């Protein structure tokens, strides 16, 4: 690769990582936006979590539509476009979504806001499916993991800054503001309109940079499209059932008797809970059915015949779901009496530290790809997490937030460092250890209150930090010609972020926000189970599976 091409590709990479930043920025900022919308529009906890349903559901729908259209055309549409064009198209869709968000907040319509977020995330789905292989193609194959880890680190920086910026946009630097009082102000959404003018402009600028950079490669791969008609039909069936269930759940909110009984009078909506649980079971049963059937006769099932993939899809579904649900319900948890009624701009440091915890772990997880000596690596595994911790504290301090409640969190980071030493860069081993640590942290949070509980729930981010690459690498191990298809199926499982948070929201409406955090306990337990189970699956297939753990997605 000549010097000029290298510079051109580096320029492309720097532009590309801004896209990774957007995903993190918008996704994590939902944690501040959700409690605001709950107060602004008079929502229950389930309704407020529909922000996540719209946002992460769009990832699933986008990836599924791409798979369906490719199956019908009998070719990989994204590969035919080229990854560069896929990113440009995705950015334009997100720009359109940002314009819709400007209109939505101007009209003050919650349904319109959900629709706009869906369109923004639909663009993200196309970008995500394109950007990771595109980043890998911008240089020599043996340095691909370095580029992906750089992009993952920038994604985590976006998740750290997002809550701070959105909190500042909504509340300014007002201290002690009541979120309920502020939300009822007529102009309380004006600043969100200004923010999305800025965000939409950045989307458009990034699209222009990619489109007009003529020296950039189109980013096409040599892989052939593998049809999987039965897998496609199963995924469509799952989608139709999910849409039908959620459509009925939403329709109940238009019934005045339902609103009076279950929202105004605070009666317990057990039917709504049952329906929400059913959406989870549809995904689990549907995928397990696919794998069981495919193992008897693999024709038409494609990658779904591999148990490591299907269980990995469920693990990734669970990972995204628990990552999002901890953060998205954290605002309501901190506003409760048992947690000191922390509200408004005071929420931002806690939200930022939760998402920043993912950055702390991902920066530490990226150390191995630079091949440091054994002794230097041990030192860096201790130093880098605290450097990242300092970045999170500094970002909050610069924005005018009180960071003194976060100082003690430095002690919690020691447990993550211990997890890295115990994991020894083995994905399955690391998943088991971090899954068990996350489960323990959630149990501590469940049975305590105050600072200890807050630290315990925030530490979920530390233990989730390296799960995406660990699950991903284990799930596609041994797939051969089905690797590309398996990767597409895994991206669809971002759907977990749209199913699990509303489920916890509905449970919260019945048993309370604090007790509803038993959901993350179960999620971490399943991820730990996958880390244990996949070892036997891969050994049975004779696959060498201990791939080094990388940084975030």
């Amino acid at each position: 690769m000549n010097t000029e091409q290298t510079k051109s590709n580096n320029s492309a990479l720097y532009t590309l990582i801004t896209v990774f930043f957007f995903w993190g920025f918008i996704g994590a900022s939902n944690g501040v936006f959700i409690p605001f919308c709950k107060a602004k529009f008079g929502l229950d906890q389930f309704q407020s979590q529909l922000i996540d349903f719209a946002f992460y559901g769009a990832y699933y729908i986008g990836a599924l539509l791409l798979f369906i259209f490719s199956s019908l055309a009998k070719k990989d549409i994204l590969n035919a476009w080229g990854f560069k064009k896929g990113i440009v198209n995705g950015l334009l869709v997100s720009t359109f979504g940002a314009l819709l968000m400007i209109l939505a907040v101007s009209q003050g319509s919650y349904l319109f806001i959900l629709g706009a977020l869906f369109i923004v995330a639909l663009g993200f789905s196309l970008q995500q499916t394109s950007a990771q292989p595109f980043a890998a193609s911008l240089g020599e194959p043996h340095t691909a993991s370095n580029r992906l880890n750089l992009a993952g680190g920038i994604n985590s920086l976006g998740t750290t800054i997002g809550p701070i910026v959105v909190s500042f946009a909504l509340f300014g630097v007002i201290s002690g503001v009541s979120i309920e009082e502020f939300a009822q102000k007529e102009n309380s959404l004006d600043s969100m309109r200004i923010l999305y003018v800025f965000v939409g402009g950045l989307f458009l600028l990034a699209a222009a940079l990619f489109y007009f950079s003529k020296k950039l490669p189109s980013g096409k791969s040599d892989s052939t499209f593998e049809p999987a008609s039965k897998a496609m039909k199963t995924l469509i069936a799952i989608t139709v059932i999910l849409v039908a269930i959620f459509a009925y759940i939403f329709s109940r909110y238009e019934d005045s008797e339902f609103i009076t009984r279950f929202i105004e009078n605070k009666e317990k909506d057990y039917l709504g809970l049952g329906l929400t649980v059913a959406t989870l079971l549809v995904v689990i049963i549907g995928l397990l059915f696919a794998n069981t059937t495919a193992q008897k006769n693999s024709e038409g099932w494609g990658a779904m015949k591999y148990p490591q993939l299907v269980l990995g899809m469920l693990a990734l579904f669970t990972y995204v779901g628990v990552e999002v649900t901890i953060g998205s319900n954290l605002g309501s948890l901190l506003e409760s009496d048992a947690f000191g009624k922390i509200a408004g701009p005071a929420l931002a440091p806690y939200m930022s530290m939760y998402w920043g915890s993912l950055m702390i772990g991902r920066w530490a997880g990226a150390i191995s790809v630079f091949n440091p000596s054994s002794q230097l690596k041990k030192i860096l595994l201790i130093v880098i997490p605290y450097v990242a911790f300092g970045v999170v504290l500094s970002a909050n301090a610069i924005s005018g937030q009180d960071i003194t409640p976060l100082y003690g969190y430095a002690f919690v980071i020691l447990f993550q460092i211990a997890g890295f030493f115990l994991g020894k860069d083995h994905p399955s081993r690391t998943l088991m250890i971090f899954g068990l640590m996350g489960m323990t942290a959630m149990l501590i949070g469940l049975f305590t209150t105050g600072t200890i509980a807050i630290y315990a729930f925030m530490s979920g981010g530390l233990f989730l930090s390296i799960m995406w690459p660990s699950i991903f690498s284990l799930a596609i191990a041994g797939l051969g010609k089905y690797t590309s298809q398996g990767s597409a199926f895994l991206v669809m499982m971002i759907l977990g972020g749209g199913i699990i948070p509303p489920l916890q929201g509905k449970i919260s409406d019945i048993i309370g926000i604090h007790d509803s955090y038993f959901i993350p306990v179960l999620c971490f337990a399943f991820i730990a189970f996958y880390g244990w189970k996949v070892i036997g699956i891969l050994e049975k297939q004779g696959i060498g599976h201990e791939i080094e753990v990388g940084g975030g997605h």
Side-chain angles (χ1 to χ4, degrees), residues 313-328:
M313 289 169 70
L314 290 173
L316 207 66
F317 175 94
T318 306
Y319 153 72
V320 177
V322 69
E323 177 186 289
V324 175
T325 201
I326 292 173
S328 294

Side-chain angles (χ1 to χ4, degrees), residues 287 291 301-316 471-472 474-477 479 482-491 493 530 534 537-538 541:
L287 291 179
N291 180 243
W301 287 105
M304 282 197 179
K305 65 184 177 183
Y306 295 97
Q308 68 266 37
L309 174 70
V310 173
L311 287 176
M313 289 169 70
L314 290 173
L316 207 66
I471 295 170
F472 213 100
L474 291 164
I476 63 173
L479 265 58
Y482 294 109
T483 299
S484 178
Q485 186 182 96
S487 299
F489 288 161
L490 286 166
V491 170
M493 291 300 101
Y530 176 69
V534 74
I537 293 172
L538 294 176
Q541 296 175 13

Side-chain angles (χ1 to χ4, degrees), residues 395-475:
N396 279 281
I398 291 169
S399 69
Q401 300 290 349
D402 178 16
I403 60 173
T404 51
L406 301 178
Y407 290 154
Y409 194 66
F411 173 74
V412 183
I413 295 171
L414 289 173
F415 291 96
Q416 186 202 49
I417 293 171
F420 274 115
F421 278 100
L422 292 170
K424 298 179 180 178
D425 283 336
H426 296 165
S428 56
R429 184 185 175 103
T430 303
L431 273 184
M432 280 192 290
I433 292 169
F434 277 42
L436 291 172
M437 283 184 164
M439 185 174 68
T440 303
M442 296 302 105
L443 285 169
I444 291 171
L446 265 178
F447 292 108
T448 58
T449 56
T451 302
I452 291 175
I454 293 172
Y455 282 5
F457 288 133
M458 288 195 306
S459 73
L462 294 172
F463 306 121
L464 286 164
S465 58
I466 48 74
M467 286 185 175
W468 174 282
S470 297
I471 295 170
F472 213 100
S473 62
L474 291 164

Side-chain angles (χ1 to χ4, degrees), residues 133-439:
F134 190 58
S137 72
L138 293 175
E140 300 299 334
H142 69 274
T143 60
S145 60
N146 292 18
R147 292 187 292 280
L148 290 171
N149 279 291
L150 174 62
I154 297 300
N155 171 267
S156 296
L157 184 62
T159 64
T160 303
I161 293 174
I164 300 171
V165 173
V166 171
S167 176
F168 183 80
L170 280 171
F171 310 114
V173 289
I174 310 167
S175 59
V177 65
S178 163
I179 196 167
E180 286 79 13
E181 290 177 14
F182 180 84
Q184 296 312 314
K185 291 182 179 179
E186 195 172 327
N187 65 345
S188 60
L189 276 168
D190 287 357
S191 49
M192 286 301 290
R193 183 170 65 241
I194 296 169
L195 178 66
Y196 268 88
V197 167
F198 178 69
V199 168
L202 287 177
F203 287 153
L204 201 58
L205 176 61
L209 285 171
F210 269 92
Y211 182 78
F212 290 111
S213 298
K214 300 298 184 184
K215 293 182 180 179
L216 297 185
S218 61
K220 295 186 179 184
S221 69
D222 298 325
S223 59
T224 56
F225 181 76
E226 297 293 339
S229 58
K230 292 179 181 176
M232 181 182 72
K233 289 173 184 175
T234 301
L235 289 168
I236 291 173
I238 289 172
T239 307
V240 169
I241 296 171
L242 289 177
V243 169
I245 294 173
F246 272 110
Y248 178 68
I249 292 174
F250 299 158
S251 71
R252 299 173 79 226
Y253 281 87
E254 297 175 2
D255 184 339
S256 58
E257 182 184 346
F258 170 80
I259 293 172
T260 302
R261 286 182 61 199
F262 296 110
I263 299 179
E264 293 180 6
N265 294 337
K266 300 295 182 183
E267 286 188 37
K268 299 185 186 302
D269 181 20
Y270 291 110
L271 175 59
L273 174 59
L275 290 168
T276 313
V277 170
T279 62
L280 180 64
L281 293 178
V282 165
V283 176
I284 295 171
I285 294 171
L287 291 179
L288 292 179
F289 163 79
N291 180 243
T292 303
T293 308
Q295 288 190 55
K296 294 175 183 175
N297 180 6
S298 62
E299 186 179 351
W301 287 105
M304 282 197 179
K305 65 184 177 183
Y306 295 97
Q308 68 266 37
L309 174 70
V310 173
L311 287 176
M313 289 169 70
L314 290 173
L316 207 66
F317 175 94
T318 306
Y319 153 72
V320 177
V322 69
E323 177 186 289
V324 175
T325 201
I326 292 173
S328 294
N329 285 288
L330 195 58
S332 292
L333 180 77
L334 297 180
E335 288 174 358
S336 65
D337 293 341
F339 286 82
K341 294 185 177 180
I342 301 167
L347 287 173
Y350 297 97
M351 296 292 186
S352 176
M353 183 54 72
Y354 169 67
W355 292 103
S357 293
L358 283 110
M359 182 178 78
I360 291 169
R362 286 169 181 170
W363 284 17
I367 292 170
S368 295
V369 301
F370 298 105
N371 296 316
S373 66
S374 177
Q375 192 62 34
L376 178 59
K377 181 179 176 181
K378 290 176 182 176
I379 295 171
L380 291 175
L381 277 175
I382 297 171
V383 173
I384 293 299
Y386 285 104
V387 171
F389 178 58
V391 170
V392 180
L393 290 180
S394 300
N396 279 281
I398 291 169
S399 69
Q401 300 290 349
D402 178 16
I403 60 173
T404 51
L406 301 178
Y407 290 154
Y409 194 66
F411 173 74
V412 183
I413 295 171
L414 289 173
F415 291 96
Q416 186 202 49
I417 293 171
F420 274 115
F421 278 100
L422 292 170
K424 298 179 180 178
D425 283 336
H426 296 165
S428 56
R429 184 185 175 103
T430 303
L431 273 184
M432 280 192 290
I433 292 169
F434 277 42
L436 291 172
M437 283 184 164
M439 185 174 68

